Amino acid sequence: MNPIGRTAWPLLWLPLAGRAADASSPASAGNLLQVLFGLIVVLGLMAAAAWVLKRIGAMKPSTGTMIRIIGGVSVGSRERVIVVEVADQWIVVGVAPGQVNALATMTRQESPPSAESTTAPPNFAAWLKKTIEKRNGN
């Protein structure tokens, strides 16, 4: 068996335990604070850069896109009906959390009438209803 008894084995690690106590000196605590401060500064710079990029991206409208949102109306707390223009088609889309459904398609029309017009409906919901009824022949 081993010449060093089981009770003597932990005594061999005592010099290493003394070195571990030296590692927790005030100089190590200062180094830790310096590393934490550097980490906070780097994370702050990353957050600031992400915010700036988001603001710049939101300010530039995307030109040359084939899809354009014509209008929409809220039909519930989290549901909307949106008219999307793709090439020469208008697609009426129902949007709910986790799903998007195409409700109807129609050929591209002139822009929705404005509220200032005397013959036009006062809002998009009424205009959409009128257009769908006209399309269905009701």
Side-chain angles (χ1 to χ4, degrees):
M1 187 138 168
N2 195 352
I4 301 175
R6 291 184 184 219
T7 58
W9 185 253
L11 297 177
L12 295 174
W13 294 98
L14 282 178
L16 295 176
R19 290 185 190 153
D22 291 340
S24 64
S25 66
S28 294
N31 289 341
L32 180 63
L33 287 175
Q34 185 178 6
V35 169
L36 286 176
F37 178 72
L39 179 65
I40 290 170
V41 168
V42 168
L43 291 176
L45 288 173
M46 288 175 60
W51 180 78
V52 167
L53 288 175
K54 182 179 177 184
R55 296 292 290 175
I56 289 173
M59 291 173 49
K60 291 182 181 177
S62 56
T63 58
T65 58
M66 302 230 7
I67 300 173
R68 186 172 65 124
I69 296 177
I70 302 300
V73 62
S74 205
V75 293
S77 61
R78 297 172 61 186
E79 296 85 15
R80 293 183 56 86
V81 175
I82 298 174
V83 177
V84 180
E85 179 181 332
V86 179
D88 293 353
Q89 292 283 322
W90 279 9
I91 304 171
V92 181
V93 179
V95 180
Q99 64 185 30
V100 177
N101 296 321
L103 303 175
T105 59
M106 60 184 87
T107 58
R108 181 178 181 216
Q109 301 174 9
E110 68 279 348
S111 295
S114 63
E116 294 85 27
S117 174
T118 57
T119 61
N123 59 27
F124 179 77
W127 173 84
L128 179 62
K129 182 178 178 184
K130 179 181 173 186
T131 303
I132 291 174
E133 287 175 355
K134 186 189 318 180
R135 179 179 172 264
N136 293 336
N138 292 339

